[in-house]
Amino acid sequence: MKLSVRLIGGIEPLFGTRDENIRILEDNLGVKLRLCDGSMEIEGGDGNVERAERILHEYASLVEQGHPFSEGELTACLRLASSDPSLSLRALAESGRQRSFGKKTVTPKTLNQRLYLDAIEKHDLVFGVGPAGTGKTYLAVAMAVGAFLSKKVTRIILTRPAVEAGEKLGFLPGTLQEKIDPYLRPLYDALYDMLEGDKVEKLIERRAIEVAPIAFMRGRTLNDSFIILDEAQNSTPEQMKMVLTRQGFNSKMVVTGDITQTDLPAGKRSGLLDAISVLRGIGEIRFVHFDERDVVRHSLVQKIIRAYDRAAEVSQQQLPLRLSEPAPSETPSAN
C-alpha cells in the first residue's frame, strides 16, 4: 500500500537530527517514508501505513494549531506513538498542558509524567512505579483532588503501609491516630498543597477525605471514590490483593511505589512486585514506570539514583562468583 500525506507548515522538526524521527517511524511501523513536493509518501502494509498516516496528520494538525514542540519532545512522542498503538501523538502532546487542581497549577515535567496523568484519566487502575522524586504520589493526589472538585467522585481515600508491612505501631507513644500520622504525613502534605488548610480539615471531618493505614481498608467496598495506595512496595501480597479488591463502582485507584526501597523483612515478597507479575496481562490496567530521568528534585538526586543502580548491577554480577568460590581447605597440622 502506498499513499501521500500533505504536511502543513514547517516540516523540518519532523525529521529530527540526521532524520532520526523518520527512522523511528520507519523502524517501529515497518514503513518507508519519502518526502515528495511538500508531501510525505508512505509505503508499507495497510495497517502500518494507516498508523503512520494518522501520526503524520496529527503532527501536521498540531503544527498548524501552533503547538510548540520543545527540543527532544517530538522525538520522544513519536517513539511512543509509533511503538504503542494505544497512544496518539496528539494525546501525548496535549498531556503536557498545565492543569489546575484546587489552588495549585501543575504542569507535567517529563514524558512519563504525561503518560501517568493520561493513564489515570483513561484507566480505573494505574500503577506508578519508580524512584523517589518522580512525582508519583504528588500527581496522583492532584488527580484525586481534581476528580473530587469536579464531582466525578464523592470521596478521596489515601492509604499506605504504616512503618512496615506488619504495622507494628504499639511501641510508639500516643493515640492510634498519633501513632500513624507521621507515616501518612506525605499524603497530608500533598493535600494541603492542593487545597486550603481549613477545607482539608473540614473534608476530613466529613469523611470526604480519608487518610488511613492499609489495615483500615479491610472489609470495605469503596464506591464513587478515588483511592491511592502509596508506598505499595511495603505491602505484602495479601495486603495488596485486599486493597485492590476494595475498588467499587465509579472508582479509580492509583498504586504507587519504589521496588528498590522495600522495608519488608528479609525473604518477604513485596506486594507491589507480586501485583506487577500477576496483573501484567490485564489490558484495562495501566503500568507507568519512572526512572531517574523523571526525578524533579535536586539534580544530585538523579546522580544518587544512578550510582545506587550501578552498585546494584555490580553486586548482581559478582554474586555468582561469590557463591561459586570453594570453601578454603583445611591445612593439616604439623604436629
Side-chain angles (χ1 to χ4, degrees):
M1 179 179 180
K2 182 186 293 187
L3 57 80
S4 182
V5 177
R6 184 70 181 174
L7 299 177
I8 305 168
I11 61 172
E12 292 81 6
L14 174 63
F15 290 85
T17 304
R18 298 181 180 178
D19 296 343
E20 176 186 12
N21 295 339
I22 297 299
R23 287 197 299 274
I24 287 171
L25 293 175
E26 289 181 333
D27 293 344
N28 288 343
L29 298 175
V31 297
K32 289 294 183 182
L33 301 175
R34 286 182 292 274
L35 183 64
C36 302
D37 299 325
S39 297
M40 188 66 74
E41 191 177 84
I42 315 169
E43 185 175 359
D46 292 359
N48 291 342
V49 168
E50 290 171 1
R51 282 183 60 197
E53 179 190 20
R54 186 182 74 242
I55 291 172
L56 292 175
H57 275 307
E58 288 173 344
Y59 168 77
S61 177
L62 288 164
V63 169
E64 185 181 28
Q65 294 164 13
H67 178 86
F69 283 102
S70 62
E71 184 178 355
E73 177 189 16
L74 179 60
T75 298
C77 289
L78 285 173
R79 182 176 286 110
L80 285 169
S82 60
S83 61
D84 188 342
S86 68
L87 298 174
S88 72
L89 182 63
R90 175 169 290 278
L92 289 169
E94 293 180 345
S95 61
R97 70 185 186 279
Q98 282 191 340
R99 303 164 188 245
S100 295
F101 303 102
K103 66 177 183 177
K104 193 77 172 181
T105 299
V106 176
T107 303
K109 294 180 173 62
T110 71
L111 198 56
N112 278 331
Q113 288 188 353
R114 293 188 188 190
L115 291 174
Y116 188 50
L117 295 182
D118 188 61
I120 294 172
E121 285 182 342
K122 296 178 180 178
H123 296 78
D124 289 338
L125 177 55
V126 175
F127 285 77
V129 183
T134 52
K136 305 182 302 295
T137 301
Y138 190 85
L139 292 174
V141 173
M143 292 295 283
V145 169
F148 178 80
L149 294 177
S150 61
K151 302 187 185 304
K152 293 178 181 177
V153 298
T154 58
R155 58 181 171 168
I156 298 172
I157 310 291
L158 309 176
T159 185
R160 69 190 309 193
V163 186
E164 59 180 26
E167 299 184 11
K168 298 176 181 177
L169 299 165
F171 70 92
L172 293 172
T175 64
L176 177 60
Q177 194 62 44
E178 290 171 340
K179 290 172 188 282
I180 64 177
D181 272 356
Y183 304 98
L184 302 172
R185 180 51 51 190
L187 298 173
Y188 284 112
D189 290 343
L191 280 175
Y192 284 112
D193 207 27
M194 303 288 167
L195 299 169
E196 299 295 340
D198 56 346
K199 186 168 187 177
V200 173
E201 299 297 337
K202 289 177 182 177
L203 291 172
I204 290 175
E205 288 178 11
R206 286 171 36 203
R207 310 286 288 179
I209 294 179
E210 183 176 346
V211 186
I214 279 181
F216 285 42
M217 300 296 108
R218 193 172 300 279
R220 305 175 64 183
T221 300
L222 304 173
N223 297 318
D224 299 307
S225 303
F226 197 116
I227 309 139
I228 299 173
L229 170 57
D230 191 39
E231 295 289 331
Q233 76 276 3
N234 288 331
S235 67
T236 65
E238 295 78 16
Q239 288 175 321
M240 175 64 75
K241 180 181 177 182
M242 180 270 291
V243 173
L244 294 178
T245 54
R246 299 308 93 199
Q247 187 171 1
F249 295 108
N250 189 43
S251 291
K252 281 185 179 290
M253 182 178 292
V254 180
V255 178
T256 70
D258 178 2
I259 56 178
T260 69
Q261 295 192 30
T262 301
D263 298 322
L264 292 167
K268 189 69 174 177
R269 183 167 172 80
S270 165
L272 179 57
L273 272 174
D274 189 69
I276 292 172
S277 173
V278 171
L279 305 177
R280 177 62 71 181
I282 301 179
E284 295 87 349
I285 300 174
R286 195 73 175 173
F287 295 86
V288 179
H289 292 271
F290 298 87
D291 57 36
E292 76 277 357
R293 292 170 295 182
D294 300 299
V295 172
V296 292
R297 294 179 180 171
H298 194 290
S299 59
L300 186 58
V301 176
Q302 292 186 353
K303 296 177 181 179
I304 292 171
I305 292 170
R306 283 197 294 268
Y308 273 99
D309 287 343
R310 286 195 297 269
E313 289 175 6
V314 170
S315 178
Q316 287 297 320
Q317 292 169 1
Q318 292 177 346
L319 184 59
L321 296 176
R322 294 196 188 105
L323 293 176
S324 61
E325 287 176 358
S329 59
E330 292 185 2
T331 302
S333 173
N335 295 327

